[in-house]
Amino acid sequence: MPTKEIITLRVNGSTHELAVRPSDVLLDVLRENLNLTGTKRGCDMGTCGCCAVHLDGEPRLACLTLALEAVGHEVRTIEGLKGEGLLHPLQRAFAEHGGSQCGFCTPGFIMTAAAFLAENPRPTRAEIQEAISGNLCRCTGYVKIVDAIAAVAEARAATTG
């Protein structure tokens, strides 16, 4: 059995000292060591996007990222996306537009969309569709998901001019 080593991770603004094996993926450490279960285990192969998190603001698949790779970076999970007890605009938009059915894939979509909108605040529907093409939803079509993301982009554009 590989030996564990002590690492320090910054997750959602808090610092955590953890004992991990070199082969531990970030998804397992988030869910099992830190009890941040909003990040979902879907395919475990990087094909469904359920485990999307942010590493220094960039979307990363936690099932394919070693915990050791996250050392020295800021990790943000779906739990860290909301502000001061309020839903993040994407979380609210998914609820209002019916972008979430069973909800299993929703955290991955929202994390992917949040990183995308940070880089591209005024996307077209085609750009949104391309941005979320690595995320799979087995319950519903993607129209309501795209509607939710587009609504957030439009609301932000209306307030920023």
Side-chain angles (χ1 to χ4, degrees), residues 24-91:
D24 285 345
V25 293
L26 183 59
L27 176 62
D28 292 333
V29 171
L30 292 172
R31 290 183 57 83
E32 296 169 21
N33 296 60
L34 299 177
N35 200 30
L36 295 170
T37 57
T39 305
K40 303 300 182 195
R41 178 183 305 281
C43 64
D44 250 349
M45 300 183 305
T47 60
C48 74
C50 285
C51 64
V53 297
H54 295 171
L55 209 60
D56 295 333
E58 297 293 322
R60 292 285 291 260
L61 298 173
C63 75
L64 298 181
T65 303
L66 293 173
L68 294 174
E69 294 177 84
V71 173
H73 301 279
E74 178 67 31
V75 178
R76 185 194 277 185
T77 68
I78 191 74
E79 291 91 344
L81 199 59
K82 68 176 179 156
E84 305 286 327
L86 302 173
L87 291 177
H88 184 276
L90 281 164
Q91 293 169 314

Side-chain angles (χ1 to χ4, degrees), residues 83-112:
E84 305 286 327
L86 302 173
L87 291 177
H88 184 276
L90 281 164
Q91 293 169 314
R92 187 175 319 106
F94 268 66
E96 292 173 354
H97 291 270
S100 182
Q101 292 294 306
C102 80
F104 192 82
C105 65
T106 303
F109 272 103
I110 289 175
M111 295 305 288
T112 299

Side-chain angles (χ1 to χ4, degrees), residues 94-152:
F94 268 66
E96 292 173 354
H97 291 270
S100 182
Q101 292 294 306
C102 80
F104 192 82
C105 65
T106 303
F109 272 103
I110 289 175
M111 295 305 288
T112 299
F116 170 68
L117 290 178
E119 290 292 318
N120 189 353
R122 295 178 186 231
T124 64
R125 287 186 72 83
E127 289 170 330
I128 293 170
Q129 291 169 336
E130 175 65 24
I132 62 169
S133 63
N135 292 77
L136 298 177
C137 175
R138 293 175 175 91
C139 297
T140 186
Y142 295 87
V143 173
K144 293 178 179 182
I145 293 169
V146 173
D147 288 347
I149 298 167
V152 171

